Amino acid sequence: MNDDLRIAVLGVGMMGAFHVDALSKRVRGARVTVVNDFLPDKAAEVAAAVGARVEADPVAAINDPDVDAVLIASPGDAHAAQLSACLDRGIPVLCEKPLTTDITSAYAIVQKERALGKQLIQVGFMRRFDTEYVALRKLIADGGLGKPLIVHCVHRNAAVGDHFTSEFMIRDSVVHEVDSVRFLLGQEITSIEVIKGAATSSAPHGTHDPMLVIFETESGAIATDEIFVRTGVAYEVRTEVVGEKGSAFIGLDQNLQVKSPDGRWGGRITPSFLERFGLAYDIELQRWVDAAKAGTIDGPSAWDGYAAVAVCEAGVLALRSGVKFHVHLAGSAVAAIKPEEPLAGIQAPDLEGAWP
Ligand code: ISE
């Protein structure tokens, strides 16, 4: 108990509350001591369940003497200031995506951490802790598929609120494929393009749901991502990687298969990301807690978070303009993102009546 990592959790909406529960029930060597949320009643309810204290000011929570490390699950636009305060105090922090909401502030955070000379920031890309993703990455890294050429991703949610605009879909959902492609291929993404098709009738006016996002990577590999967040079905996240020597698939929902008297057969699809990636979240937390005690991280870094912010920013510009955007992560300067020169459209002659 005395060796427990004492954690402040900032933001206890669905994700933060899920983490508080995991830290108090399933993760070893950790304890939530301070809870902060902009909704005082929510903070009080979550804190009471685990015997933690409520602190109304997030920066005071970070600087609390009963806190050794911080878990940030607050809205994205609060992250930059909260991460900065964690770096000022020099304590480890696990930050849910996005790292921040714009390239400049994300880069400033990366630089501030670098100046300290140690890695304190881990970003919550939980798929990196899912056994199927880990196995697929290893297969690719070991050369089992030969050179990877194409990645096909499917990302479907059953339902979301009306605040899920097309831009939000890029920043909040597609951000996972941005990180997954970087993780699986071990390469940076160099361009992004967004194709807006017909929208499902449950999407609010002006929201393009589903969309098809296309990435290119450093080696020229292509990745496609179908993002559809109002399927009305369940949570489906699948990835297929096609290489020169074969292909591999993850996310097939192959669990208990049942045959029923009415002639149907099949298994179950997880309803949401909490069930689909529940174990991955717990593994992520355990590894972060163990690493934080040793003064380091064990998972995606601030740089990974920054790269994802840059690609998503380019994705939003691609969505707005209808043009492919190139991304150049320089390493020593803020990422450059620029549009591809738009080509004039082709005007094909009308053949109607051209044949006798
Ligand atoms: C949500 O924030 C997540 O992180 C989920 O993994 C993703 O599937 C969902 O689309 C996001 O809104």
Side-chain angles (χ1 to χ4, degrees):
M1 183 85 172
N2 288 340
D3 289 342
D4 281 351
L5 188 76
R6 299 167 304 164
I7 300 169
V9 178
L10 312 183
V12 284
M14 180 168 59
M15 206 60 246
F18 184 82
H19 286 321
V20 169
D21 189 58
L23 286 167
S24 58
K25 293 187 187 147
R26 301 187 291 280
V27 174
R28 293 178 312 277
R31 187 155 46 101
V32 178
T33 47
V34 175
V35 167
N36 161 268
D37 196 280
F38 73 100
L39 297 173
D41 291 350
K42 185 72 192 160
E45 179 196 326
V46 173
V50 297
R53 197 156 36 82
V54 173
E55 173 51 68
D57 174 19
V59 176
I62 292 164
N63 289 316
D64 194 293
D66 279 340
V67 167
D68 306 312
V70 177
L71 193 158
I72 299 179
S74 53
D77 54 8
H79 291 187
Q82 295 175 355
L83 285 166
S84 189
C86 292
L87 293 177
D88 285 340
R89 194 174 160 206
I91 55 172
V93 50
L94 176 64
C95 181
E96 277 298 338
K97 50 84 186 166
L99 182 70
T100 74
T101 46
D102 65 278
I103 299 183
T104 310
S105 62
Y107 190 67
I109 289 293
V110 170
Q111 279 191 310
K112 185 165 178 167
E113 187 197 48
R114 263 189 201 168
L116 291 177
K118 56 182 169 183
Q119 289 192 295
L120 291 172
I121 300 173
Q122 183 168 326
V123 181
F125 288 123
M126 77 299 186
R127 291 187 187 179
R128 292 185 180 222
F129 300 90
D130 175 79
T131 50
E132 292 187 36
Y133 280 86
V134 171
L136 179 55
R137 179 178 197 247
K138 183 168 185 326
L139 179 72
I140 296 168
D142 291 349
L145 297 179
K147 181 180 171 190
L149 303 173
I150 297 197
V151 184
H152 297 289
C153 308
V154 169
H155 186 162
R156 300 184 191 149
N157 291 202
V160 293
D162 282 357
H163 65 289
F164 251 82
T165 60
S166 307
E167 293 193 8
F168 198 81
M169 286 162 65
I170 301 278
R171 294 187 197 274
D172 205 62
S173 305
V174 173
V175 65
H176 282 294
E177 278 72 41
V178 170
D179 187 63
S180 298
V181 168
R182 295 182 67 251
F183 174 68
L184 291 171
L185 302 192
Q187 297 176 30
E188 295 299 349
I189 288 173
T190 53
S191 79
I192 179 166
E193 194 175 348
V194 181
I195 304 194
K196 307 170 257 197
T200 179
S201 47
S202 60
H205 181 70
T207 294
H208 303 279
D209 185 12
M211 300 185 289
L212 185 68
V213 181
I214 304 171
F215 308 107
E216 286 167 318
T217 73
E218 285 167 308
S219 70
I222 301 166
T224 64
D225 184 20
E226 175 208 303
I227 180 69
F228 188 7
V229 295
R230 296 174 176 85
T231 64
V233 180
Y235 191 67
E236 298 170 78
V237 170
R238 296 193 284 272
T239 307
E240 183 181 24
V241 179
V242 185
E244 284 182 333
K245 292 199 280 179
S247 60
F249 219 121
I250 58 172
L252 286 177
D253 297 301
Q254 280 185 343
N255 41 43
L256 184 68
Q257 302 288 315
V258 179
K259 295 184 178 176
S260 333
D262 63 357
R264 289 168 175 267
W265 72 274
R268 309 231 16 193
I269 314 178
T270 47
S272 85
F273 51 91
L274 293 183
E275 297 82 11
R276 166 68 179 85
F277 290 111
L279 184 58
Y281 282 117
D282 285 0
I283 296 171
E284 170 191 64
L285 280 188
Q286 186 65 65
R287 284 185 34 190
W288 172 66
V289 164
D290 293 345
K293 285 183 175 178
T296 184
I297 63 169
D298 185 8
S301 64
W303 175 265
D304 294 312
Y306 162 67
V309 170
V311 175
C312 289
E313 188 67 43
V316 166
L317 296 175
L319 171 77
R320 286 183 194 157
S321 63
V323 172
K324 183 201 278 188
F325 265 71
H326 294 271
V327 185
H328 180 61
L329 291 171
S332 58
V334 180
I337 55 180
K338 54 178 192 314
E340 184 151 290
E341 287 297 311
L343 291 173
I346 291 173
Q347 187 65 49
D350 184 354
L351 291 181
E352 209 181 320
W355 307 102

